[in-house]
Amino acid sequence: MAIQGMELFAVAVVMLLFFIMLKQFGIWEPLGLDESFDCDLELSMVRHQPEGLDQLQAQTKFTRKELQSLYRGFKNECPSGLVDEETFKSIYSQFFPQGDATTYAHFLFNAFDMDRNGSINFEDFVIGLSVLLRGSVTEKLRWAFNLYDINKDGYITREEMLAIIKSIYDMMGSYTYPSVREYAAFEHVEIFFQKMDRNRDGLVTIDEFIETCQRDENIMSSMQLFENVI
């Protein structure tokens, strides 16, 4: 699986799949005139009631109408207003029938579950989506770092990066070509740390991660693939 910028391949996959999901489920279709009423009127129908649209508009880079459209799509797919991890894994795995996306979906779920309560609500969803689709390069890199920092202690370790890369290989399954060699994941981890671990202490900080990525043309090209996709 010879991919330049392997460090951010996971994030590219995330952004692409969310774009596909939005289109597939009709979440991003423009609102008709008869649908432009305030979604706040519908909140009593769900178990989890999101923050007001004005507050979410201030927290994201979506317009009010875009948030209304996103909310309707989210509510249609998740009537309770919450997505638990098993449901998230089930949805995500549909895109990788030739592999096992369970572990990667677990890591991705934790990146979206900002308050660590075991579920993704509408606020978690749109705030993460705003970063992935419309955030600055730095914001996207911070999000990627949070994905890789599995235990959320502010550092990426070799063990964490190895777990992420192995989960990507598992997810891609038979789509990996040429076939993955036994030690390929370990080699990617070493390459990652050679680039990122500038003080050679065995840990990658968020500052090391962002500074190194911003100086790497391949990584920056990967990040820009999804600029202004919607």
Side-chain angles (χ1 to χ4, degrees):
M1 188 178 183
I3 298 177
Q4 291 185 325
M6 179 71 182
E7 300 90 327
L8 293 173
F9 175 63
V11 176
V13 169
V14 174
M15 289 189 282
L16 176 60
L17 287 182
F18 267 101
F19 180 55
I20 293 172
M21 289 169 69
L22 290 173
K23 293 294 186 182
Q24 176 177 323
F25 295 140
I27 294 176
W28 205 259
E29 295 302 321
L31 294 177
L33 292 177
D34 59 335
E35 295 182 301
S36 61
F37 58 84
D38 197 329
C39 284
D40 291 337
L41 297 176
E42 304 176 14
L43 297 184
S44 61
M45 300 175 62
V46 298
R47 187 170 81 237
H48 174 81
Q49 297 187 5
E51 301 288 347
L53 293 181
D54 289 337
Q55 182 173 340
L56 285 176
Q57 187 175 348
Q59 290 178 292
T60 68
K61 296 183 180 180
F62 296 128
T63 67
R64 187 178 183 84
K65 284 192 174 182
E66 288 170 339
L67 287 168
Q68 289 174 331
S69 183
L70 283 167
Y71 176 66
R72 287 192 179 88
F74 186 87
K75 190 186 68 174
N76 287 339
E77 295 301 317
C78 316
S80 70
L82 298 170
V83 181
D84 62 25
E85 184 170 343
E86 290 308 310
T87 301
F88 186 85
K89 288 178 179 178
S90 176
I91 294 171
Y92 202 78
S93 294
Q94 295 175 22
F95 294 94
F96 295 93
Q98 304 301 317
D100 181 1
T102 302
T103 303
Y104 184 75
H106 167 72
F107 296 143
L108 184 58
F109 179 88
N110 286 341
F112 272 92
D113 181 16
M114 295 184 296
D115 53 11
R116 312 289 287 172
N117 66 354
S119 62
I120 298 174
N121 57 38
F122 182 65
E123 296 94 316
D124 294 333
F125 175 71
V126 294
I127 290 172
L129 196 64
S130 176
V131 171
L132 288 172
L133 296 179
R134 295 186 178 171
S136 66
V137 168
T138 299
E139 288 171 335
K140 290 176 182 177
L141 290 174
R142 287 185 178 277
W143 196 95
F145 182 91
N146 180 60
L147 173 66
Y148 299 154
D149 178 17
I150 294 173
N151 66 0
K152 313 307 178 193
D153 66 351
Y155 302 96
I156 300 174
T157 66
R158 278 182 167 81
E159 291 76 17
E160 288 174 325
M161 199 63 210
L162 181 62
I164 292 287
I165 291 177
K166 282 185 173 180
S167 73
I168 294 173
Y169 285 143
D170 290 342
M171 178 175 67
M172 298 304 293
S174 61
Y175 287 121
T176 56
Y177 181 84
S179 298
V180 177
R181 290 175 289 110
E182 182 178 357
Y183 294 102
F186 293 93
E187 292 172 358
H188 278 302
V189 171
E190 287 309 308
I191 292 171
F192 176 88
F193 270 80
Q194 288 173 16
K195 285 184 178 181
M196 301 286 178
D197 185 14
R198 298 171 65 185
N199 63 359
R200 300 295 184 259
D201 65 351
L203 301 170
V204 175
T205 67
I206 191 166
D207 289 338
E208 289 175 322
F209 182 79
I210 291 176
E211 290 174 10
T212 305
C213 287
Q214 289 178 333
R215 294 176 181 176
D216 189 302
E217 292 182 0
N218 291 324
I219 293 176
M220 287 297 96
S221 296
S222 298
M223 297 298 292
Q224 291 168 1
L225 286 175
F226 296 91
E227 290 290 329
N228 302 317
V229 291
I230 58 176

